[in-house]
Amino acid sequence: MQIIANGFINGLTLALLSLAFAAVYLPTRVFYIALAGIYAFVPYVAWQCLESGLSSPLATLVAVGTGITLSLLCELINHGPLEDKGASSGAHLLSSLGICILLSQCAAMFWGNETKVLRAGLDTVFQFAGVILTGSQTIVLVVAPLLIALYYLWLRCSKSGLLYRAMADNRNEFALKGYNVLAFRLASFGIAGLLASVSSLLVAYDIGFDSHGGLSAILLAVVAMIIGGRQSFVGPLVGAILLGLIRSLVVWTFSAQWAEAITFALLAFFLLVRPQGILSPKARLEAIA
């Protein structure tokens, strides 16, 4: 049970990041690698706020706001202008990677390369039905499901969520209907910034953070999205939970050195056997044709 609990908790934080990546990829088809830089940068903002004497809730709000702002700037300064000029997906990928490297190097330059933690002192420990949970893990169990539930409620139960899904389904028809594509593109980048920032802060509070952890985290998020189903809003959640459980089992059974090998072996298996992922929604007729 302890292995399942640890894997599920790790899967929840990974699910937030995977959903953040999918929030941009599905409606825009932008491979948003810059999210890795935001993921690495945001905990340093929270740490600096705490060092300056701000309370933890206020420092968290400032850090999340910074992550959302950086994500919106990525669209306004980089991806939006590239889209207007008809740039290829490769141009979006390379420019996004450049932003990721820039943010990571800025964090290293201002705050150093050493690992930091957001909490001070030892973590509290709780025990439920034979399962041991730390205080930071308990926070993940509360915050992550709540945020994921709010995101899916917005997607399913609001008019703006319906339009957002419609844009992800068919961007050209969405534009031809006269809807504001630019506003929904901005919304997708803002949502990605919010989800990635919360994921980053939860991980930073639990195990710490450094300036170069963003790329490895975003790679796992992409793997989770591909395994779960890259054409589905639910797929990244399913893939992330599954990947978290498998990685936890591998670390417990063998060692942490095998976790990455098993992760990408699983990715290769799905790409060969079921490239559409676990969840594959029915495609439109024109997509099938």
Side-chain angles (χ1 to χ4, degrees):
M1 287 298 296
Q2 185 68 52
I3 302 173
I4 295 175
N6 292 340
F8 182 73
I9 291 169
N10 293 336
L12 284 175
T13 56
L14 179 59
L16 286 174
L17 186 57
S18 188
L19 287 171
F21 186 87
V24 170
Y25 177 78
L26 288 177
T28 68
R29 293 302 185 267
V30 170
F31 213 76
Y32 192 27
I33 298 297
L35 201 61
I38 297 172
Y39 182 92
F41 192 86
V42 163
Y44 285 101
V45 177
W47 181 84
Q48 187 62 59
C49 290
L50 291 173
E51 289 292 306
S52 301
L54 295 182
S55 62
S56 293
L58 188 55
T60 301
L61 287 176
V62 172
V64 172
T66 301
I68 295 173
T69 302
L70 288 173
S71 189
L72 292 174
L73 288 175
C74 286
E75 162 65 4
L76 292 172
I77 296 175
N78 182 59
H79 294 294
L82 286 176
E83 185 70 18
D84 292 338
K85 295 178 180 178
S88 65
S89 58
H92 282 282
L93 173 61
L94 288 176
S95 62
S96 191
L97 179 60
I99 294 174
C100 167
I101 295 173
L102 176 64
L103 289 174
S104 298
Q105 292 302 318
C106 285
M109 182 173 60
F110 288 118
W111 292 290
N113 287 310
E114 66 275 7
T115 301
K116 302 181 185 295
V117 290
L118 291 180
R119 57 182 168 82
L122 297 175
D123 204 354
T124 54
V125 177
F126 306 96
Q127 186 169 354
F128 303 97
V131 177
I132 299 175
L133 299 175
T134 63
S136 55
Q137 289 178 320
T138 306
I139 293 174
V140 172
L141 282 174
V142 174
V143 174
L146 178 61
L147 188 56
I148 292 171
L150 290 175
Y151 177 56
Y152 281 119
L153 281 174
W154 172 73
L155 281 176
R156 295 293 177 181
C157 303
S158 68
K159 182 179 179 180
S160 58
L162 175 63
L163 293 175
Y164 180 72
R165 288 187 286 123
M167 180 178 170
D169 185 50
N170 192 315
R171 290 168 292 164
N172 294 330
E173 186 175 347
F174 185 83
L176 290 173
K177 293 290 186 181
Y179 294 112
N180 192 337
V181 175
L182 296 179
F184 278 92
R185 280 181 63 96
L186 273 177
S188 68
F189 278 86
I191 292 169
L194 169 64
L195 295 174
S197 297
V198 174
S199 174
S200 178
L201 291 174
L202 290 174
V203 173
Y205 188 78
D206 184 15
I207 61 175
F209 61 97
D210 59 63
S211 58
H212 302 293
L215 272 177
S216 59
I218 203 68
L219 282 177
L220 287 179
V222 173
V223 171
M225 185 185 74
I226 294 173
I227 290 174
R230 60 180 180 272
Q231 301 297 331
S232 168
F233 282 103
V234 182
L237 174 62
V238 175
I241 298 298
L242 177 62
L243 195 58
L245 291 172
I246 291 175
R247 286 173 62 88
S248 179
L249 182 61
V250 169
V251 171
W252 180 270
T253 306
F254 302 103
S255 70
Q257 296 177 348
W258 283 95
E260 305 303 326
I262 297 298
T263 296
F264 288 98
L266 186 64
L267 172 62
F269 172 80
F270 270 90
L271 289 176
L272 290 172
V273 177
R274 190 174 174 83
Q276 70 271 33
I278 297 173
L279 300 178
S280 54
K282 293 181 180 179
R284 299 170 62 93
L285 291 177
E286 62 267 28
I288 297 174

